[in-house]
Amino acid sequence: MSSMLAQALPADLPPLAAIKPRTLSLDSIKPIETYRDDFTYRNSAGAIARFPFPFPEDNYMYSVNIEPATVGPAGSIFEHWFDVDEHYRSEMAERALVLARDPRRCMVMPHMQEAAWDTLEMLMEHLATDYPALFSLHREGNHWHWQNRVLELDQHFTFGDASTLPCEPLEYITRQAQGDFAVLDQRDGDLYMDAGIVTCPADWSLAFDAGMSFKQWHAPVPMAHQMGVFDRALKYLMNIQVGKPVRRLNWTLTINPRMDTSPETFHEWGHERGQVTADNVGQLVHLRVELQFMPRLPRSNALLFGIRTYLISFDELVSQPRWACRLHRVLRDLPPQLIEYKGLSRYHSTIVEWLSQFDPEA
């Protein structure tokens, strides 16, 4: 997952192309592209400009550097709590496909029903307020009217009564929100993964981690436990207050623009790591960045752990020369334990050699 390996936000390294304020409309959102089979997913120039390049320095090491999720520049991925972009239709189509194949990707334990409604309320309120051309929400007591103009949904329902929705509330709203969501119950001085929807994970499984404590689901991560990263991160997360969310970035590499790299589908994508050559690095290898956003849910006191994934091919990334140079240095000097943990061993030397052409000091 989305391990709690903090990485400073790239405030010191803005993209070379200026991020422009935007008013998202139905026409701003692309027709459906694919994250599998023929892989038609691509980023526009505007999407590249606002991509969250995660490296503030020429090297990378674990640290705890979670920051308050303050409002970012207009047009940036930090402008709103829940970012919607040109890939909205594509991600929602991919989520529906994954859920049809494997319903276990959405799970809500019985004691998390209130947190599920909490999540629905938070997402509907923010999406309707921040993207009025796409979503609207009208309320009269517990009688709610929700409209999603992108997906052409028009739903009247009773808040708190799941029988008035097509499916349970967490699944209903997260089928309409980009990114994965884990809902963490806070009790006994720890956080437990007791609900969530996870259809685009970076090599972790909701079904496997369900019910685990914070340190249990982070157990496979090398080095960070010895460095005390998780002790400090857990203490920080347990003290998040309502209305004061925090965020951080995490990263890895993915072959092809494939969203679903779960253990359940490893047989579909694991072999692709062996297909990287010097001739296809730019097309095949993608930098995968997670914007992790963590607000406190006000009714249940659960912690929402949003994991918004952004993909960029190396060909798209090197259109920003400073990013290409820095990524070369980060990957070249990555500790062996992290190369192994992130699954880069089979093609690490190939991508470092390819990126060296963009580093004047290489």
Side-chain angles (χ1 to χ4, degrees):
M1 153 182 199
S2 13
S3 49
M4 189 47 59
L5 314 179
Q7 182 70 21
L9 298 176
D12 67 329
L13 193 69
L16 297 184
I19 298 175
K20 299 178 180 177
R22 59 181 190 151
T23 301
L24 211 59
S25 68
L26 290 174
D27 292 338
S28 310
I29 299 175
K30 289 182 171 183
I32 294 174
E33 298 177 319
T34 57
Y35 297 98
R36 58 184 66 229
D37 301 325
D38 56 350
F39 295 107
T40 60
Y41 170 93
R42 302 289 184 277
N43 286 300
S44 68
I48 293 173
R50 66 194 303 273
F51 186 83
F53 187 75
F55 304 111
E57 299 174 341
D58 285 349
N59 54 70
Y60 172 79
M61 181 45 67
Y62 298 148
S63 64
V64 176
N65 195 20
I66 305 168
E67 70 167 21
T70 54
V71 175
S76 76
I77 68 163
F78 305 122
E79 180 180 9
H80 301 304
W81 278 27
F82 302 101
D83 186 41
V84 175
D85 66 12
E86 65 184 23
H87 303 299
Y88 179 84
R89 286 192 181 92
S90 304
E91 285 195 40
M92 296 305 92
E94 171 70 8
R95 166 149 298 158
L97 180 59
V98 173
L99 287 172
R101 298 176 68 189
D102 185 359
R104 298 176 305 162
R105 301 299 189 89
C106 183
M107 177 274 298
V108 182
M109 294 185 181
H111 65 282
M112 298 298 283
Q113 292 301 319
E114 187 175 36
W117 284 106
D118 249 346
T119 304
L120 177 143
E121 181 177 28
M122 181 176 285
L123 280 164
M124 284 187 175
E125 284 183 341
H126 282 272
L127 292 175
T129 300
D130 296 335
Y131 307 98
L134 310 182
F135 310 99
S136 63
L137 176 65
H138 300 284
R139 293 185 284 194
E140 291 184 13
N142 287 336
H143 300 288
W144 291 28
H145 180 203
W146 168 251
Q147 292 178 295
N148 180 330
R149 298 180 187 85
V150 187
L151 302 182
E152 299 181 347
L153 301 176
D154 190 315
Q155 183 72 43
H156 293 266
F157 66 99
T158 302
F159 186 84
D161 183 355
S163 69
T164 60
L165 287 172
C167 54
E168 69 85 28
L170 181 66
E171 180 178 343
Y172 179 75
I173 191 56
T174 54
R175 280 178 175 268
Q176 303 175 56
Q178 288 174 267
D180 285 337
F181 296 89
V183 188
L184 312 179
D185 190 31
Q186 183 162 322
R187 63 180 187 272
D188 304 328
D190 211 331
L191 295 167
Y192 293 86
M193 192 174 297
D194 287 350
I197 185 163
V198 177
T199 61
C200 50
D203 203 8
W204 69 282
S205 165
L206 176 65
F208 184 80
D209 289 353
M212 286 188 180
S213 69
F214 182 81
K215 289 185 180 177
Q216 286 174 327
W217 82 67
H218 284 108
V221 182
M223 302 173 68
H225 291 277
Q226 295 82 349
M227 296 167 63
V229 168
F230 296 124
D231 290 329
R232 298 195 297 275
L234 178 60
K235 185 176 180 180
Y236 189 101
L237 296 179
M238 296 272 291
N239 286 291
I240 291 175
Q241 302 298 308
V242 172
K244 297 182 178 179
V246 301
R247 68 189 174 207
R248 62 181 292 270
L249 296 179
N250 192 28
W251 71 275
T252 189
L253 301 181
T254 294
I255 307 306
N256 288 312
R258 183 184 292 279
M259 275 291 189
D260 182 17
T261 55
S262 62
E264 289 91 339
T265 57
F266 182 80
H267 60 285
E268 297 178 3
W269 56 268
H271 67 283
E272 293 174 346
R273 294 171 173 171
Q275 296 175 348
V276 178
T277 69
D279 294 329
N280 64 21
V281 168
Q283 300 83 46
L284 233 56
V285 183
H286 288 66
L287 178 61
R288 181 188 191 105
V289 176
E290 295 176 349
L291 169 59
Q292 300 176 353
F293 176 76
M294 292 152 275
R296 177 71 64 190
L297 296 172
R299 298 172 188 268
S300 60
N301 199 45
L303 190 67
L304 184 64
F305 199 124
I307 308 160
R308 179 73 161 81
T309 296
Y310 299 83
L311 293 170
I312 188 170
S313 71
F314 273 24
D315 272 348
E316 293 171 337
L317 185 144
V318 300
S319 67
Q320 310 294 321
R322 294 169 64 193
W323 289 358
C325 176
R326 176 157 291 177
L327 185 60
H328 169 252
R329 296 174 185 181
V330 167
L331 293 178
R332 179 194 61 195
D333 300 332
L334 203 61
Q337 299 96 322
L338 295 189
I339 294 172
E340 177 67 24
Y341 172 67
K342 289 181 178 291
L344 316 182
S345 301
R346 296 183 69 179
Y347 58 92
H348 178 258
S349 60
T350 303
I351 58 176
V352 169
E353 176 62 25
W354 188 83
L355 284 168
S356 68
Q357 65 184 302
F358 304 101
D359 186 345
E361 298 180 4

